[in-house]
Amino acid sequence: MRKLINGIVEFRRNVRKDYRERFGRLAQGQTPDSLFVACSDSRVVPNTFASTDPGDLFVVRNVGNLVAPCGEYGVSTSDESEGAAIEFSVLNLNVADIIVCGHSECGAMHALLNNRNEIKTHNLKNWLRHGEKALQLLNEGHTLDSSISRHNQLSQLNVLVQMDHIKSYPAVQERIQQGKLRIHGWWFDITKADVYSFVDSENKFVLLDESGAKKLLAKLTNK
């Protein structure tokens, strides 16, 4: 808590003046480019590794970067929070991109591998069921990178499963069909501070270095 409070003082003293004009504009409304679905893990900081400014990202964070799929009548099969964020970002904010970002060394993935039914707390045990499909795929022998640890393989598969969950929402389906929305899968390697993007044609996560970023941007421009 001490670090947070001192950080606020530091922000007021040295940073706030640089952001005052931007926040003044943002007070009139937000127009983020993307919805960013990430894990609550304190080591995963999207605004840092993506070098974004206030107002650029509409962010949803939860344990395991999970999204409950859409059920009947366009209603989420679980807590409505993630579904509400998806609908609001797509229908009200008109975001052009949705990014699901998983990460290495994810505690939620460890919990799934170790049998979530062994978890003593009801809410966490229940919530992690939205990652069970990824675990099933892993147990069936699916992997995107056999060189990494099993829990990290699960984390990468989980990104793809959550992308499918997002695509189950009618508002998302409609915008994709109209060519107004794209869904992306990213994976953050905490050890190396590297970000990878899933490339469907290669069926793997590709490092977003200068070369990888150039190829991805060219692909997005051509669409």
Side-chain angles (χ1 to χ4, degrees):
M1 191 64 180
R2 182 184 300 275
K3 188 173 183 179
L4 289 175
I5 293 172
N6 287 335
I8 292 172
V9 174
E10 178 70 13
F11 176 81
R12 288 181 57 84
R13 182 186 299 121
N14 297 319
V15 181
R16 184 176 56 159
K17 59 180 179 294
D18 297 326
Y19 277 104
R20 184 170 289 161
E21 183 179 344
R22 177 180 290 273
F23 278 120
R25 293 196 303 269
L26 290 173
Q28 307 305 313
Q30 59 172 322
T31 54
D33 303 313
S34 307
L35 166 63
F36 200 96
V37 181
C39 185
S40 298
D41 193 301
S42 62
R43 300 166 294 179
V44 179
V45 190
N47 293 90
T48 297
F49 64 69
S51 295
T52 51
D53 289 319
D56 290 344
L57 297 177
F58 190 72
V59 180
V60 171
R61 299 187 67 168
N62 61 52
V63 175
N65 45 269
L66 303 175
V67 176
C70 189
E72 287 187 291
Y73 313 113
V75 178
S76 171
T77 60
S78 183
D79 186 296
E80 292 86 358
S81 176
E82 283 69 30
I86 291 168
E87 291 173 346
F88 182 74
S89 64
V90 170
L91 298 176
N92 295 78
L93 300 178
N94 295 307
V95 298
D97 298 277
I98 298 178
I99 300 159
V100 179
C101 185
H103 68 96
S104 67
E105 318 313 324
C106 181
M109 299 303 105
H110 278 289
L112 279 169
L113 278 175
N114 294 328
N115 187 357
R116 71 177 178 88
N117 290 316
E118 298 295 324
I119 298 173
K120 303 302 182 185
T121 52
H122 174 79
N123 289 316
L124 179 58
K125 178 170 66 176
N126 245 15
W127 175 246
L128 290 180
R129 75 187 186 277
H130 300 303
E132 287 284 359
K133 176 62 176 178
L135 181 60
Q136 178 185 336
L137 290 172
L138 182 67
N139 288 335
E140 290 173 352
H142 296 276
T143 184
L144 301 171
D145 184 355
S146 59
S147 70
I148 59 178
S149 63
R150 189 167 167 80
H151 63 270
N152 286 336
Q153 292 178 40
L154 177 59
S155 177
Q156 291 191 343
L157 289 171
N158 182 58
V159 170
L160 304 191
V161 168
Q162 303 315 314
M163 290 170 66
D164 285 340
H165 286 180
I166 289 173
K167 292 174 185 176
S168 69
Y169 286 82
V172 172
Q173 294 174 11
E174 182 179 352
R175 291 297 172 95
I176 290 176
Q177 290 168 2
Q178 294 171 347
K180 296 180 179 179
L181 182 65
R182 298 169 296 206
I183 315 295
H184 312 272
W186 286 7
W187 194 72
F188 179 59
D189 186 337
I190 291 176
T191 304
K192 300 177 181 177
D194 280 331
V195 180
Y196 296 76
S197 177
F198 181 73
V199 178
D200 189 64
S201 60
E202 300 182 38
N203 194 39
K204 67 178 183 179
F205 283 87
V206 175
L207 178 64
L208 279 179
D209 55 8
E210 288 80 359
S211 175
K214 185 177 180 180
K215 291 178 181 177
L216 179 59
L217 289 171
K219 182 180 178 181
L220 295 178
T221 302
N222 292 330
K223 285 191 174 182

